């Protein structure tokens, strides 16, 4: 899903001359799970498609995020493709929540099983692409100079593929090793006996810290905002559970499709308000979900995400768990988040809070002890020097738009995507952008991907795009382009839905609030089933809201 992160906004690419550009139906950017799925679907439809990928292998997210403890936070049996029965029957996950190496093996298996590799160019960074109105094709060039002229440009570059490396003043003075969780080295990193600093406490840090702490001499965690983490209760995949799902995988997928996030049908939300039960009942119901683990905690009551009072009850339940787990009361209090639970993406953990009971783990609260300076041997925060041998930046991503804005895309009239998205990522259905004909974005802003099992979101987008292209071909049409009014209405819709929830009440990457200067616009849409219905409706109405020509 990751395209590249090394790309920086550069001058507009010169449109390659038709003579030298390889003609394609689809140019797909990114060989993560989205790119692989799109390529397979396009080929089955008889389209001539090519994937370009900046990395040296397929797998996107699972190629890059190799930090210790990296694993999926959706159950493995759900986090896989459902488009091919033989694939889903064949593949065996070893754990309830698969770890990064196994997820990367899965991506490679998909590439091999469907013989996709001959249409994937690795180590190929898109330098830019421009829509050529005369030929009605996207002219794309890679940094190496290769050029293509494609009818359709499909961005499968991933919503979380552009690492956020904050501009920490003076970081260059630090002489130890600096690592970013989203650009982890391919060779093993041995922290044995080392003093390690970790900046950030989101999902990546929550997974990495307990694993690093098992071998490091000392781990110092620099926390700006505390995170809610729910136990994964990970373990070997139960053979009976696997067999039960495989006996009716299609039915299982269909039931998940009806869930708000496209997953979790094994543990559907209780249709009762958190405010309608006694405190004892409430506690028992939260305890039951905590015992099972995972995102299902947020479904203990139907109103946790939409009613701040109900939400606070769930938040306080988790704070209670933190206080119960962490022995040092001051550390426990600093680890207790104050924003609504679920407002930032919930973390699914293994031993995160308990790790703070280890003698070799310390928490520095950046709210009260901000980073003052970096030194050759570490950093100073709140007047105290922290010397570390290695510094792990678990500082997340320039989410949803970061990669696209680095890729030098130009639509009609030479308009840049940067100009178009100056105030935020305007789009229609999350899939298309007015002024950028025949450009499709998989799992991007304006879609439900960030709130959904992303594989489910990818498969839906890939099918919609393939059907759309089939419709154009069947009707002898060359282009499809979102109408500006449909796009404007969609932005209002996405934000209206968000305004009915707690999602606007904290500084999350959903809002672009983790990146200084990024326009604040709520980017993902909540509610997968209604979104799928809307996308189907638009298509059934002959692509209402679009201009086809
Ligand atoms: O990134 P994050 P992530 N100074 O943005 C802090 C998916 N994912 O890589 O909250 C100090 O969540 C920042 O602080 P604050 C998942 O969707 C999934 O952990 O902005 N601190 C925060 O604590 C997830 O949501 C899995 O105040 C700074 C942290 O860095 C998404 O990826 C695993 C800072 C960043 O947390 C992102 O997760 C991993 C600064 N200048 C990721 N800038 C699974 O489990 C940032 N921070 C599948």
């Amino acid at each position: 899903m990751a395209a590249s992160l090394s790309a920086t906004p550069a001058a507009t690419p010169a449109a390659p001359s038709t003579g030298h550009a390889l003609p394609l139906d689809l140019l797909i950017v990114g060989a993560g799970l989205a790119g692989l799925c799109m390529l397979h679907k396009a080929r089955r439809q008889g389209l001539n498609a090519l994937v370009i990928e900046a990395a040296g292998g397929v797998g996107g997210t699972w190629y890059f995020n190799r930090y210790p403890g990296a694993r999926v936070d959706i159950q493995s049996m759900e986090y896989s493709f459902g488009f091919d029965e033989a694939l889903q029957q064949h593949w065996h996950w070893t754990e309830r929540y698969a770890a990064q190496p196994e997820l990367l093996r899965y991506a490679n298996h998909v590439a091999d099983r469907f013989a996709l590799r001959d249409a994937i160019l690795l180590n190929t960074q898109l330098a830019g692409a421009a829509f050529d109105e005369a030929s009605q094709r996207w002219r794309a060039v890679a940094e190496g100079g290769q050029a293509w002229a494609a009818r359709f440009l499909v961005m499968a570059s991933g919503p979380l593929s552009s690492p956020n490396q904050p501009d920490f003043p003076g970081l260059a003075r630090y002489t130890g090793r600096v690592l970013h969780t989203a650009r982890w080295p391919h060779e093993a990193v041995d922290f044995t006996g080392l003093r390690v600093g970790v900046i950030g406490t989101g999902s990546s840090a929550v997974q990495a810290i307990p694993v690093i702490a098992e071998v490091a001499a000392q781990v110092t965690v620099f926390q700006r905002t505390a995170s809610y983490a729910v136990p994964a209760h990970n373990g070997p995949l139960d053979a009976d559970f696997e067999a039960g799902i495989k006996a009716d995988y299609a039915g299982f997928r269909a039931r998940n499709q009806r869930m708000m996030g496209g997953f979790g049908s094994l543990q559907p939300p209780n249709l009762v308000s958190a405010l309608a039960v006694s405190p004892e009942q409430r506690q028992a119901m939260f305890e039951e979900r905590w015992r099972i683990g995972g995102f299902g905690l947020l479904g203990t009551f139907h109103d946790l995400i939409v009613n701040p009072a109900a939400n606070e009850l769930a938040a306080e339940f988790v704070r209670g768990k933190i206080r119960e787990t962490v022995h040092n009361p001051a550390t426990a209090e600093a680890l207790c988040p104050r924003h609504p639970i679920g407002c930032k993406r919930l973390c699914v953990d293994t031993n995160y809070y308990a790790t703070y009971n280890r003698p070799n783990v310390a928490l520095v609260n950046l709210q009260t002890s901000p980073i003052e300076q970096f030194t050759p041997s570490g950093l100073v925060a709140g007047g105290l020097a922290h010397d570390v041998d290695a510094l792990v930046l678990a500082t997340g991503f320039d989410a949803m738009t970061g990669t696209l804005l680095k890729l030098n895309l130009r639509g009609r009239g030479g308009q840049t995507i940067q100009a178009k998205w100056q105030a935020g990522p305007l789009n229609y259905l999350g899939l298309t952008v007015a002024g950028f004909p025949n450009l499709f974005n998989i799992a991007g802003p304006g879609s439900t991907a960030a709130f959904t099992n992303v594989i489910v979101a990818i498969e839906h987008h890939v099918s919609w795009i393939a059907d759309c292209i089939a419709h154009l071909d069947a009707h002898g049409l060359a282009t499809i382009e979102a109408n500006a009014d449909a796009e404007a209405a969609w932005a209002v819709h996405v934000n209206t839905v968000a305004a009915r929830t707690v999602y606007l009440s904290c500084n999350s990457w959903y809002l672009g609030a983790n990146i200084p200067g990024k326009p604040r616009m709520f980017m993902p849409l909540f509610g997968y089933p209604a979104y799928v219905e809307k996308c189907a409706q638009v298509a059934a109405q002959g692509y209402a809201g679009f201009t086809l020509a």
Side-chain angles (χ1 to χ4, degrees), residues 62 65 67 70-74 79 160 164 166-168 180-182 199-207 222-227 295 339 344-348 366-367 371 393-397 450 507-510 513-514 516:
W62 304 113
N65 290 266
Y67 58 84
R71 63 178 68 247
V72 67
D73 55 5
I74 304 276
Y79 192 86
L160 294 163
N164 170 33
D167 182 19
F168 290 117
H180 195 293
T181 44
I199 301 183
T201 50
S203 297
S204 301
V206 160
Q207 291 184 332
F222 298 92
Q223 171 190 277
R224 186 165 72 179
T225 307
S227 284
F295 286 122
H339 55 274
K344 286 171 183 263
R345 187 173 162 117
L346 199 59
C347 304
V348 178
L366 297 180
Q367 305 278 350
I371 296 174
L393 303 181
T395 44
F397 301 88
N507 288 330
S508 66
W509 58 256
Y510 300 143
N514 62 328

Side-chain angles (χ1 to χ4, degrees), residues 189-198 209-221 355 357-362 387-390:
V189 178
D190 185 6
F191 289 119
T192 306
L194 299 185
R195 299 160 303 168
V196 182
V198 180
I209 288 165
V211 182
I212 296 173
E214 283 171 17
V215 296
Q218 172 71 30
V219 176
T220 308
V221 179
T355 292
N357 293 331
R358 297 179 67 108
N360 66 334
V361 177
D387 287 351
V388 290
D389 303 304

